[in-house]
Amino acid sequence: MSVASSSVNGGLLRRLRYRYSARLLLSELLGKRWMEPAIPFALMIGLIVWFSMVTTNYATLGNAQQLGREFAEAGFVAIAMALTVISGGIDLSVGAVFALANLAALVFFQLYQWPVGLVIVATLAIGAGIGAINGFLIGYMRTRPFLTTLVTLIVLRATVDLLGQHFSIPLAMASRTSWTWDVLGVGWIAKLPSNLAILGIVAIVGHFLLSRSRPGWHLTAIGSSRKAARHAGIRVERVLFLTYVMSGTLAAAGGLFYAARLQSSGSDTGIGWEISALTAVVLGGVSLAGGRGTVARALIGAVIVFVLVNGLVRMGFPGALSSTALGAVLLIAVGIDVKWAKNRGKAIQKIYVNPTMVELPPSPSITADGGTAFAENTRLQASEEIGLNQVQGPEDIILDRQDRLYCGTREGWVLRFSGPNFEHREVFARIGGRPLGMAFDRDDNLIVCVGGMGLYGVTPAGKIYKCTDQTQRSLLKLNDDSRLRLADDCDIAPDGTVWFSEATIRYEMHSWFLDGIEGRANGRLIAWNPKTNKTRTVIKNAVFPNGVCVAHDGRSVLFCSSWLCTIYRHWIEGPKAGQTEVFAENLPGYPDNLNRSSDGGYWLAMVGIRSPTFDLMMRHPDVRQRMIKQLPPDEWVYPGINNGCIVKFDESGRALESMWDPGGTKHATVTSMREHKGWLYIGGLENNRIGRVRLPDADPAWNGCDAYWGAKS
Amino acid sequence: MTLRMTAVVAMASAVLLAGCEAGTRSGQEAPVGTASTAQIKAPSLTGGDSSANLQKRVDQALQGKTIAWVPIALGIPLADIWTQVMRSEAEARGMKLEVRDPNWNTTAALQAVSSLIAEKPDILVVHNPNVQLYAQELARAEAAGIPVIQVNMVSNQKTTAYVGADWPKVGRLLGEEIVRSCGKGSGSSGKVAIVQGEATSAVSLEQMQAAAEVLGKDPSIKIVSNQAANWDASKAHDITATVLQQHPDLCATVGFWGVMQTGAAQAVKSAGLQGKVKVYASGSDGKLDCDNIDSGLITKFLNYNSSSQARSVIAIASFMLQTGLPPSAVRMADYSPLQWMEKGNYDPALCYDTSKPRSPAK
Amino acid sequence: MTDTTATPDTTGKGGGRRRLVISQEQIVLIVTALLAIGFALTLSGFATIGNLLALTRSVAILGILGIAMSVVVIGRGLDLSLVATMAVSSAFALQLMQHGWGWPGAAAAGMGVAIAIGLINGFIIAFVEVPALFTTLATGFLIFGLGRTFLLDGVITYLPPQAETFAWIGQGQLLGIPAPVIVLAIVALFVQVLLSRMTVGRFVYAHGDNVDAARLTGIAVRPLTMLEYAICAAIGCLAGLVMAASTASINMQIVNSTLIFDVILVVVLGGVSLVGGRGGVLSVLAGTALIGTLLNGMTIMDLDNNIQNIVKGAVLLAAIIVDNRLHPQDEETARQGD
């Protein structure tokens, strides 16, 4: 159960409607790579179902086997074509290679009486040889694939006809048979027609080669951008050469099976197959621009073409009309391919943000004379600057035992300020990503949440090591959420377990504020145990969990939920272990980091203050949805992340006092603060400085490291 | 002679035709040749059968039966005449003709045949694109109990019946005609141009072989050009135009299909040699061919009469349905009678105009 | 073709460079001349007026189709449906003649069909932004299938005997010159003037040279694309009419032949590069002359049709490699259909 709904009251149906949004599902679906061939796949299934309904004896095992046998050869040719298209080229000669291989196999087997094994090798070698010619011209001579293979097509066609004249009469009379030859042509492998079974094996191997191996990646890279591939050190010429060799071999394999199955050397064998294969490949969703496609997609397309043509023939359509249908389908498929490739990003963007309902009670007063603990004052305006204009966006800050001040920056660095007045600035570690929340562990290693990377550690000597960058994958989530996208803040329990929050799994560091418009429970609280190196998601479905702080007694973890304006306490020890309860709710602003104070309470940074307008909008997801659809992003209403404050709570969750900078001249957004030896240090996500204010009533010796791990000599 | 029937059952066509005419003798004798066929009986015919009973029995055997027909393509005169005549003849007997048009696409053609086998028509009629392509499917069809009749070109897989021209004979007759008009003692140059169809097609090959054999016997005949125009009139036109430039004294050009040879004839006409260069062709009884003969474009035309071929197909189908013989029990061929046609010297009934179908009364 | 403005100059680019390098069409013309001399010396009957006329006559239709194709290729397009358009539109015209239409009306109707097809092609390419290669590949199927099913009665359509006048453009002569050659000359002159003397022609070059630049300078590129394909289809229809007139019939089977590849061959051979913006009418004529000479010589030698195709393929391959050397393009950023 989500912690999100506990504070929400409203119609159950309405709440459910916004929690389980179909649009959300759709937007995540569209973002998946494997969804690209969804339309062709549906078309394929639809066609098969349709023809099973309208033609007699279609959905029978015998017919399926017969269709499979007839399909297999076209499948080989389609894969051959697909490889070259993925490499950014095209192979128009596949049909002619197919025909030549068919003729060659028949001549070798029937007239030269070669053993079947030799026939197979020789036929495939012919295909590879022609592929090598294409590949040499296209790869090394850099001719254009379309024209080059067009020429090979013409020349091969003529060769086939020429040889056909020689051999067609003796072939028509020859009648050699052999067991292996028959297995190739009309045999069975595990209830599958032999050619289909071998096509299946080739397809699976090809699929893994293309999508999971280095040569496959090289091929795809060349198709995407030849220039980039060359600059990345890929040997473009050789890979292209091999691609065409492979294409020729596959087409020849198709011809070999065709020969074994039909023993026919007709001069129109394979005519127009290049066009069908091209149609198939495009239909299946292999992009003509290159670099996008898989073997599976080519086969889906090939099945569509085959089933369509076969079905129309069965239904007695005039042949000219079946080719018309093929043309129309091709045109529509390419049209959609082009338009989809162009607009997919836009479409996903339009529907990706899915607001849900968040109902907050009226905000407590923050006016100076309002009488609440949140009453506005000017205490932060008295802050001293540290590293003014030397630091970009110190989201979190922390001090070590030597009173040195650390902060993460926009550049992906951890800076360290030292000296009596922190005038000495040095880059402590260059982690990368976006360093956010920090904590020191027992051994004085600095544990850092890095947005976009995960949880990292830096030893006192400045050596960076990875703690964890993934957790277990949620079973029912479409988006793979095992990788950490936006680790936000961490703290460390007495047993050494690092508790950290991941603010959202749907947005990145640069778009985290969109999560605020959405208001959905996209975040989680995660625990990493350094002893076992196990990472465990403790609470999923938290609404933008932000600051994390282990309570003074080490028996519970406090964490903030920014968009719900609530702080929760999650028990990790004692009778309530595993339970989550509200620590403080209905805050006047959006809580960010949370840290201990010297008097046994907690400091909370509020990154922005709520406004009645946005609270109202949060109650009406449809309004936000329309806003996203109809307005440009710079006119959207966002949560107010403009002016913040610092609030102190006691152990029971009661707000005690607050500190403000009303004009926002020094500390507009406050994302963190750290008490250290009588001073309160202040950081801000967008700030150009770190500030500190004197805490007159605080224990001047108290510091975080001692409070967590005890004093060290 | 490679493709001549190897297993033709000795059966007179009179017997065959009797099966579908309203005679009393149909199925009088069990066909001989295979053991299984000897046991076939026609019990309802024995013992004082009346004409009415025969009529009933024929109706029972034919009514509602389906003949499936796979041409290479519709829309050419040859296939259109076959289809039109077969349809009207079949329907007149209460049968249905189901046509699949693969439109020259051999892949689609093969699929059409194999899917038809799944649909189990009562008779399957095919026009082979080549001698091997359908072989396995035809064997499968017969194994499934469907008698198969092949038209115009016989597959390596022999089936119940072949209906079509005897191609070597066509080639021989064409050759002999050329020898007569261009050979020794004709006073002509003896130069002959041959326009083949598709060089790998058995129809073209067999005509070519037989014609070449005859032409080779006369030393005064010189074959100055022998090229394949792939059944295409404009290709035939270009080839012939070039040959005529080289050899304005050409004696004759011969083409293996009338429709294609039209192109060659036009080239002769454009060169102003109409009447001087003789144009020969073989072909079927399309109206175009007759028009070409009338206009003098084609000098002499060897007709294998596709409308009568279509009638034979239906007659054989009717025979198989009435006797109920298993498909493999019969191996027969019906070679089409050939007729020479030349201007002013042919029976106009030999010209079939598909726009004026000759449907029997129903 | 007395217009002596060298065609490459009309591209308005690289003129200085081109003058230093011998252009592709010049190479092709030289090769053609050498070949012709070779044939004349070795083949009896080649170098006669009659044979040369037969030669030009036999490639006239190919030449017309090549010029049609060159209009779209210069605009960086390709029309693989050209042969289908040609066959359907001219067969439609013939069929109307059979039904008693006068030949001018019938020819105009056929032309109308062709132009409509061209406009649809252009629309899909320009507005739906489907690459030309695939658009015309698909519309080729569509035109053939729909035309065959809904417009035409049969695969072969015959010229009715009464259309004697019409038959002249295929069979007639003027001063001993065959009519198809005259049609070719007129088409060549028309397209030459269009491309080199008229604003729209210059726009076609600009379009082929750099689409984005053309758009930025204010050329209405999309309507221009439609116009290019319409012109191409109209000229294609004319070629079909000539073909139909010369054999008194048109066979739809021609769509399934390799004619379209031959057309691309003569276009590319003469130097109309597929990258667009290069070459012109003269290039197509040079390519056509080379192919015509080759085919004629091989026919006189009584070479098999297939061997002729192999030789043609070898010549095209040489042309492609030479084209690559003369116009080295950035193959790293080249895309499908370029």
Side-chain angles (χ1 to χ4, degrees):
Chain A
M1 211 32 223
S2 148
V3 276
S5 54
S6 60
S7 69
V8 178
N9 43 45
L12 179 69
L13 273 178
R14 195 161 165 241
R15 263 158 50 198
L16 283 177
R17 182 185 137 207
Y18 288 114
R19 254 194 89 199
Y20 301 103
S21 151
R23 192 185 288 119
L24 178 74
L25 187 72
L26 183 67
S27 69
E28 293 195 346
L29 268 177
L30 288 180
K32 304 301 284 187
R33 258 187 96 90
W34 48 259
M35 272 302 287
E36 285 174 16
I39 297 169
F41 187 77
L43 183 63
M44 174 177 83
I45 301 295
L47 275 177
I48 292 173
V49 170
W50 165 251
F51 284 121
S52 319
M53 276 160 32
V54 297
T55 55
T56 47
N57 293 339
Y58 197 85
T60 60
L61 179 66
N63 184 57
Q65 286 173 330
Q66 183 63 30
L67 286 181
R69 201 181 277 294
E70 286 168 17
F71 163 73
E73 291 119 15
F76 279 104
V77 177
I79 297 177
M81 176 67 88
L83 287 182
T84 57
V85 171
I86 293 169
S87 80
I90 196 167
D91 188 353
L92 291 177
S93 69
V94 283
V97 173
F98 174 87
L100 185 65
N102 170 56
L103 184 64
L106 286 176
V107 169
F108 294 154
F109 178 76
Q110 296 287 4
L111 302 184
Y112 298 171
Q113 309 260 328
W114 288 358
V116 175
L118 186 59
V119 172
I120 295 174
V121 172
T123 307
L124 295 184
I126 286 179
I130 295 164
I133 296 174
N134 282 334
F136 173 76
L137 289 170
I138 294 163
Y140 292 99
M141 301 291 288
R142 300 183 185 179
T143 56
R144 290 168 177 280
F146 182 81
L147 279 178
T148 310
T149 53
L150 182 60
V151 172
T152 354
L153 161 72
I154 296 175
V155 171
L156 285 181
R157 264 283 146 221
T159 313
V160 169
D161 286 350
L162 206 57
L163 294 174
Q165 286 172 36
H166 257 279
F167 292 117
S168 60
I169 291 181
L171 273 182
M173 290 189 298
S175 57
R176 182 184 169 211
T177 54
S178 98
W179 182 81
T180 23
W181 187 247
D182 284 347
V183 167
L184 276 188
V186 291
W188 304 91
I189 297 177
K191 293 246 172 171
L192 285 176
S194 51
N195 54 4
L196 188 67
I198 294 173
L199 173 70
I201 295 168
V202 167
I204 290 168
V205 171
H207 189 87
F208 280 95
L209 269 181
L210 199 60
S211 60
R212 303 277 189 283
S213 82
R214 187 184 296 260
W217 294 334
H218 284 182
L219 179 64
T220 318
I222 291 171
S224 309
S225 166
R226 209 188 241 222
K227 201 176 213 161
R230 192 187 301 283
H231 291 178
I234 296 172
R235 298 171 73 173
V236 175
E237 288 85 0
R238 199 176 61 177
V239 175
L240 280 181
F241 174 78
L242 290 176
T243 304
Y244 283 88
V245 170
M246 192 63 91
S247 162
T249 313
L250 283 169
L256 178 71
F257 284 113
Y258 191 82
R261 180 161 72 91
L262 294 167
Q263 325 267 352
S264 165
S265 62
S267 65
D268 48 4
T269 311
I271 280 194
W273 279 43
E274 58 282 337
I275 305 293
S276 316
L278 189 61
T279 312
V281 162
V282 175
L283 269 178
V286 176
S287 171
L288 296 166
R292 201 156 57 87
T294 62
V295 170
R297 289 188 208 177
L299 283 182
I300 289 175
V303 170
I304 294 175
V305 169
F306 175 78
V307 169
L308 186 66
V309 171
N310 181 278
L312 291 179
V313 166
R314 262 171 198 248
M315 290 168 69
F317 268 77
L321 265 192
S322 350
S323 77
T324 308
L326 204 60
V329 170
L330 173 65
L331 200 57
I332 294 167
V334 182
I336 291 175
D337 179 63
V338 168
K339 287 288 167 199
W340 179 235
K342 201 172 157 187
N343 296 317
R344 177 165 174 259
K346 257 192 254 169
I348 292 175
Q349 204 187 1
K350 274 242 149 90
I351 60 169
Y352 193 76
V353 181
N354 275 278
T356 190
M357 190 158 60
V358 177
E359 287 174 300
L360 295 171
S363 169
S365 164
I366 55 164
T367 50
D369 51 3
T372 65
F374 306 115
E376 197 176 62
N377 53 52
T378 58
R379 290 172 65 185
L380 284 185
Q381 286 177 351
S383 76
E384 298 173 13
E385 291 106 10
I386 298 169
L388 180 65
N389 293 331
Q390 292 183 337
V391 53
Q392 291 190 27
E395 201 265 354
D396 198 11
I397 44 171
I398 196 163
L399 292 103
D400 66 5
R401 291 179 191 277
Q402 288 82 33
D403 302 333
R404 290 175 296 196
L405 176 62
Y406 298 79
C407 69
T409 69
R410 204 196 305 278
E411 297 101 322
W413 301 339
V414 174
L415 293 183
R416 182 161 73 181
F417 291 91
S418 50
N421 293 309
F422 302 105
E423 63 277 358
H424 182 62
R425 169 186 181 272
E426 61 184 319
V427 179
F428 175 59
R430 296 173 201 267
I431 302 181
R434 178 66 168 107
L436 298 170
M438 298 186 282
F440 278 110
D441 71 3
R442 193 182 296 278
D443 305 318
D444 293 336
N445 296 316
L446 182 65
I447 306 296
V448 187
C449 288
V450 185
M453 287 171 72
L455 191 67
Y456 282 74
V458 188
T459 64
K463 192 172 167 294
I464 300 164
Y465 63 96
K466 184 178 87 179
C467 301
T468 179
D469 60 1
Q470 54 187 336
T471 179
Q472 76 263 39
R473 191 190 196 299
S474 313
L475 278 179
L476 294 174
K477 277 235 173 13
L478 271 170
N479 275 344
D480 184 349
D481 57 358
S482 57
R483 292 292 293 221
L484 300 176
R485 276 198 179 194
L486 192 56
D488 196 329
D489 192 20
C490 60
D491 205 0
I492 304 172
D495 66 350
T497 302
V498 179
W499 291 82
F500 64 100
S501 60
E502 187 179 24
T504 173
I505 56 167
R506 275 173 55 79
Y507 297 92
E508 309 285 349
M509 192 60 218
H510 56 80
S511 56
W512 63 272
F513 42 88
L514 291 178
D515 197 80
I517 294 180
E518 190 166 287
R520 195 170 285 278
N522 296 324
R524 49 195 178 175
L525 184 68
I526 304 169
W528 172 66
N529 186 337
K531 289 179 197 116
T532 57
N533 198 19
K534 283 261 162 58
T535 311
R536 186 168 58 93
T537 304
V538 180
I539 296 175
K540 43 185 180 182
N541 304 330
V543 180
F544 211 84
N546 205 324
V548 174
C549 183
V550 175
H552 286 278
D553 60 3
R555 287 153 59 90
S556 62
V557 177
L558 302 177
F559 69 93
C560 306
S561 169
S562 291
W563 314 131
L564 296 182
C565 305
T566 301
I567 305 171
Y568 295 97
R569 185 197 287 276
H570 178 75
W571 291 95
I572 55 177
E573 257 185 54
K576 292 194 200 164
Q579 292 179 22
T580 305
E581 59 189 30
V582 172
F583 174 77
E585 63 183 343
N586 196 23
L587 303 172
Y590 304 108
D592 203 302
N593 283 0
L594 190 63
N595 283 306
R596 293 181 189 175
S597 70
S598 58
D599 56 2
Y602 302 94
W603 293 105
L604 172 74
M606 282 214 250
V607 68
I609 299 303
R610 284 161 57 186
S611 72
T613 321
F614 196 73
D615 284 358
L616 184 63
M617 296 215 34
M618 289 304 278
R619 277 195 284 275
H620 295 281
D622 37 356
V623 174
R624 278 175 284 150
Q625 188 79 57
R626 274 210 303 283
M627 169 182 87
I628 292 161
K629 268 202 183 147
Q630 295 171 3
L631 295 178
D634 58 342
E635 291 179 12
W636 293 354
V637 181
Y638 291 96
I641 304 166
N642 43 15
N643 202 343
C645 67
I646 293 171
V647 183
K648 191 157 122 189
F649 290 89
D650 65 11
E651 184 67 53
S652 68
R654 194 163 54 91
L656 299 176
E657 56 172 321
S658 58
M659 303 165 106
W660 294 80
D661 175 13
T665 48
K666 288 185 163 176
H667 296 284
T669 58
V670 182
T671 54
S672 70
M673 70 275 110
R674 207 63 84 156
E675 187 180 338
H676 185 80
K677 297 187 179 171
W679 290 85
L680 190 66
Y681 295 83
I682 305 153
L685 179 64
E686 308 288 341
N687 221 340
N688 63 344
R689 74 193 78 189
I690 299 165
R692 67 167 178 172
V693 287
R694 160 88 57 198
L695 297 172
D697 307 326
D699 176 357
W702 190 92
N703 69 78
C705 292
D706 289 354
Y708 276 82
W709 312 115
K712 265 190 188 172
S713 52
Chain B
M1 306 298 116
T2 57
L3 296 171
R4 272 193 184 278
M5 293 272 120
T6 50
V8 176
V9 172
M11 179 187 294
S13 58
V15 176
L16 164 78
L17 291 172
C20 50
E21 281 160 13
T24 54
R25 291 160 43 98
S26 66
Q28 67 177 133
E29 289 166 340
V32 290
T34 34
S36 63
T37 59
Q39 285 126 37
I40 304 291
K41 292 263 162 56
S44 58
L45 286 187
T46 52
D49 236 18
S50 70
S51 294
N53 278 346
L54 179 64
Q55 179 65 51
K56 210 199 247 163
R57 204 190 64 84
V58 170
D59 278 353
Q60 227 166 31
L62 301 187
Q63 289 293 331
K65 293 290 159 62
T66 306
I67 299 177
W69 158 230
V70 186
I72 294 178
L74 291 182
I76 52 171
L78 190 63
D80 283 349
I81 295 171
W82 281 330
T83 308
Q84 217 172 69
V85 176
M86 273 161 64
R87 172 166 286 135
S88 60
E89 295 278 319
E91 283 172 0
R93 290 163 174 79
M95 296 184 280
K96 199 173 89 203
L97 186 77
E98 208 170 307
V99 190
R100 294 279 188 274
D101 173 16
N103 193 38
W104 303 97
N105 180 344
T106 47
T107 318
L110 191 62
Q111 289 178 10
V113 172
S114 79
S115 67
L116 277 173
I117 295 170
E119 286 169 33
K120 287 201 177 294
D122 299 289
I123 302 281
L124 177 62
V125 186
V126 297
H127 180 198
N128 286 302
N130 65 52
V131 295
Q132 187 62 45
L133 187 71
Y134 292 167
Q136 263 174 27
E137 295 305 308
L138 299 187
R140 223 159 57 81
E142 293 216 320
I146 307 166
V148 179
I149 303 171
Q150 306 179 44
V151 186
N152 221 34
M153 188 198 294
V154 66
S155 166
N156 277 357
Q157 173 70 38
K158 305 300 180 272
T159 57
T160 300
Y162 166 64
V163 175
D166 178 357
W167 294 112
K169 187 176 174 190
V170 173
R172 183 168 54 76
L173 290 179
L174 285 172
E176 285 168 2
E177 185 60 31
I178 292 167
V179 169
R180 233 191 317 283
S181 52
C182 299
K184 213 182 229 162
S186 66
S188 75
S189 63
K191 289 180 176 175
V192 177
I194 299 177
V195 184
Q196 298 188 46
E198 195 180 288
T200 53
S201 153
V203 166
S204 193
L205 273 173
E206 289 176 14
Q207 291 187 69
M208 182 62 225
Q209 277 189 332
E213 203 175 311
V214 176
L215 295 179
K217 285 184 186 141
D218 189 331
S220 59
I221 298 268
K222 285 192 286 291
I223 299 176
V224 292
S225 162
N226 181 10
Q227 301 203 27
N230 294 340
W231 312 122
D232 178 4
S234 54
K235 193 115 209 167
H237 178 278
D238 290 349
I239 292 172
T240 310
T242 309
V243 170
L244 288 174
Q245 282 303 327
Q246 294 305 116
H247 308 282
D249 56 344
L250 191 73
C251 175
T253 164
V254 56
F256 294 157
W257 191 33
V259 175
M260 166 179 74
Q261 190 67 352
T262 311
Q266 292 289 351
V268 171
K269 189 182 166 198
S270 317
L273 294 169
Q274 192 170 355
K276 295 192 186 92
V277 176
K278 298 179 184 66
V279 183
Y280 297 99
S282 61
S284 66
D285 47 352
K287 180 169 179 297
L288 169 82
D289 297 306
C290 296
D291 289 349
N292 286 343
I293 295 164
D294 291 341
S295 63
L297 276 174
I298 302 258
T299 317
K300 218 165 173 187
F301 186 80
L302 191 56
N303 184 353
Y304 41 80
N305 209 338
S306 43
S307 50
S308 88
Q309 288 174 338
R311 283 184 207 102
S312 293
V313 167
I314 298 300
I316 295 170
S318 167
F319 168 78
M320 292 306 290
L321 291 173
Q322 290 186 47
T323 57
L325 288 170
S328 56
V330 180
R331 287 288 180 267
M332 65 166 290
D334 184 49
Y335 293 115
S336 316
L338 301 168
Q339 267 131 350
W340 277 114
M341 296 162 73
E342 56 189 314
K343 191 173 182 177
N345 185 18
Y346 68 88
D347 176 3
L350 285 174
C351 302
Y352 192 98
D353 185 352
T354 45
S355 62
K356 296 175 191 125
R358 300 175 193 165
S359 310
K362 285 176 192 167
Chain C
M1 298 310 327
T2 51
D3 185 356
T4 50
T5 316
T7 324
D9 288 348
T10 62
T11 64
K13 53 170 283 187
R17 186 173 57 86
R18 289 286 182 90
R19 264 178 214 111
L20 299 174
V21 186
I22 187 163
S23 79
Q24 188 167 337
E25 71 204 29
Q26 286 163 330
I27 295 176
V28 169
L29 283 175
I30 292 168
V31 171
T32 310
L34 291 176
L35 204 62
I37 294 169
F39 282 152
L41 294 176
T42 52
L43 297 176
S44 66
F46 179 86
T48 62
I49 298 289
N51 184 56
L52 292 180
L53 282 178
L55 187 159
T56 46
R57 193 198 173 292
S58 68
V59 290
I61 292 167
L62 190 60
I64 299 173
L65 286 172
I67 290 173
M69 182 69 92
S70 71
V71 175
V72 290
V73 173
I74 290 171
R76 201 173 197 167
L78 194 63
D79 189 356
L80 295 182
S81 69
L82 180 58
V83 173
T85 310
M86 172 195 91
V88 168
S89 59
S90 57
F92 183 62
L94 255 60
Q95 188 163 304
L96 290 179
M97 288 182 216
Q98 281 180 352
H99 290 287
W101 286 45
W103 73 265
M111 203 63 95
V113 169
I115 291 173
I117 293 170
L119 288 176
I120 292 170
N121 272 339
F123 178 83
I124 296 172
I125 293 161
F127 289 91
V128 190
E129 295 174 355
V130 177
L133 179 65
F134 300 99
T135 305
T136 54
L137 185 64
T139 51
F141 283 127
L142 284 172
I143 296 161
F144 174 75
L146 295 177
R148 166 78 187 80
T149 316
F150 298 111
L151 277 185
L152 305 172
D153 297 335
V155 172
I156 306 166
T157 313
Y158 304 104
L159 188 66
Q162 69 270 20
E164 281 290 332
T165 339
F166 174 75
W168 183 86
I169 67 163
Q171 300 172 5
Q173 299 186 340
L174 188 70
L175 305 173
I177 302 171
V181 181
I182 297 172
V183 176
L184 171 65
I186 294 170
V187 169
L189 195 64
F190 166 73
V191 174
Q192 172 70 10
V193 169
L194 179 88
L195 286 179
S196 64
R197 290 269 178 265
M198 288 165 75
T199 318
V200 67
R202 307 304 295 267
F203 281 2
V204 172
Y205 277 101
H207 175 205
D209 202 33
N210 187 332
V211 188
D212 295 329
R215 185 176 286 135
L216 288 175
T217 50
I219 298 173
V221 172
R222 288 174 159 179
L224 181 67
T225 310
M226 292 175 70
L227 180 70
E228 288 163 14
Y229 283 88
I231 293 174
C232 170
I235 300 175
C237 174
L238 187 61
L241 291 173
V242 173
M243 181 184 278
S246 58
T247 55
S249 68
I250 183 106
N251 187 343
M252 290 293 288
Q253 266 307 95
I254 197 160
V255 175
N256 296 337
S257 72
T258 54
L259 180 61
I260 189 68
F261 300 141
D262 291 352
V263 174
I264 296 175
L265 174 65
V266 296
V267 169
V268 175
L269 200 56
V272 182
S273 174
L274 292 184
V275 298
R278 295 194 179 90
V281 172
L282 208 58
S283 323
V284 179
L285 293 179
T288 313
L290 177 55
I291 289 302
T293 309
L294 259 180
L295 290 186
N296 183 272
M298 290 193 288
T299 308
I300 292 175
M301 286 186 267
D302 197 19
L303 280 187
D304 186 284
N305 191 15
N306 293 311
I307 294 180
Q308 297 194 8
N309 268 336
I310 294 176
V311 173
K312 257 193 322 199
V315 171
L316 179 54
L317 197 58
I320 291 171
I321 294 174
V322 169
D323 181 37
N324 245 30
R325 291 273 173 263
L326 284 183
H327 316 126
Q329 68 269 338
D330 185 3
E331 98 282 357
E332 293 193 327
T333 56
R335 276 282 170 260
Q336 251 351 301
D338 277 2

